[in-house]
Amino acid sequence: SASLTWVAGPPNASSMGFSVSHRGSKYVLTGKLDLGLVTSLSSRLTYLSNENLSVKVTGRIGTSGVDAELGLARRFSPTNTLYAGSAVSLQGGTAFKVRYSRAGQVFEFPILLTGDCRDWEVLAAASIVPPLASFLLMRYVVGPLKRWQRRRADLAARSEHAEQLRREANRAAAERALLQPVAQRKAAA
């Protein structure tokens, strides 16, 4: 799909934009050209690893500089998404970004790690530590908590089912006791 936007107004506010996107079964590729006070050419690739987890790669060249971003987004519900990524910019340095989206509202918290984009150790740490921390947190904290919660719910469902079976067995025994004299009288006749 493609779109063309044109904002008419004073020279400082007018702009024109052209964007193209392509959606595959596991990815979304988007390119955008903005012309105006701020001119830029950007592209974004979103790879969907599963229905709730995606990897996002963004690159942009423009009058405000050159920057790139790499991150992971996790969707917790249809309205809640959490994103963590590292961004490097020639003018802005290296930053770690946390973005939370809820029902169309976006809260972004950029943390500047270094003002120099050539500090590759910080960039490597900003790119490796968040996914690693996320993996370890999901594996050793969230996973066991979910399993414990699931076991607890299964145990409650099993005990409720056992109680229901006990009630049914008691009701059947009461009905048998009620019908026992009638059955004995018919058997004797």
Side-chain angles (χ1 to χ4, degrees):
S1 66
S3 66
L4 178 67
T5 58
W6 181 28
V7 179
N12 291 344
S14 62
S15 66
M16 181 178 277
F18 178 69
S19 66
V20 177
S21 67
H22 178 69
R23 184 186 248 334
S25 61
K26 294 289 249 179
Y27 68 93
V28 177
L29 182 61
T30 306
K32 187 175 182 182
L33 174 64
D34 290 319
L35 302 170
L37 185 62
V38 177
T39 300
S40 67
L41 175 65
S42 62
S43 67
R44 181 177 62 209
L45 172 66
T46 303
Y47 178 76
L48 308 168
S49 61
N50 64 34
E51 64 185 28
N52 294 326
L53 187 67
S54 61
V55 178
K56 297 184 179 194
V57 179
T58 305
R60 187 170 61 85
I61 300 171
T63 55
S64 60
V66 176
D67 58 272
E69 188 171 333
L70 172 66
L72 290 171
R74 178 158 178 97
R75 186 175 66 171
F76 294 99
S77 73
T79 58
N80 295 332
T81 305
L82 182 64
Y83 170 82
S86 58
V88 62
S89 172
L90 288 179
Q91 293 178 333
T94 303
F96 177 69
K97 291 183 180 181
V98 176
R99 185 180 310 131
Y100 177 68
S101 302
R102 175 165 171 66
Q105 296 178 345
V106 178
F107 304 97
E108 185 169 310
F109 306 99
I111 301 166
L112 182 65
L113 301 175
T114 181
D116 186 10
C117 67
R118 294 171 297 194
D119 194 358
W120 66 270
E121 294 95 354
V122 173
L123 176 62
S127 298
I128 294 171
V129 170
L132 183 62
S134 172
F135 171 75
L136 293 174
L137 185 70
M138 293 302 286
R139 173 107 178 177
Y140 295 109
V141 176
V142 175
L145 281 174
K146 280 185 173 180
R147 285 191 296 275
W148 174 76
Q149 188 177 26
R150 206 175 304 127
R151 273 195 311 255
R152 199 174 86 182
D154 287 347
L155 183 62
R158 261 192 251 132
S159 68
E160 175 63 31
H161 184 64
E163 181 62 32
Q164 183 181 6
L165 289 176
R166 247 189 312 279
R167 283 193 305 265
E168 294 293 327
N170 289 340
R171 190 173 346 144
E175 289 175 3
R176 250 191 338 267
L178 185 63
L179 294 175
Q180 185 72 25
V182 174
Q184 286 175 352
R185 196 174 53 235
K186 284 188 177 186

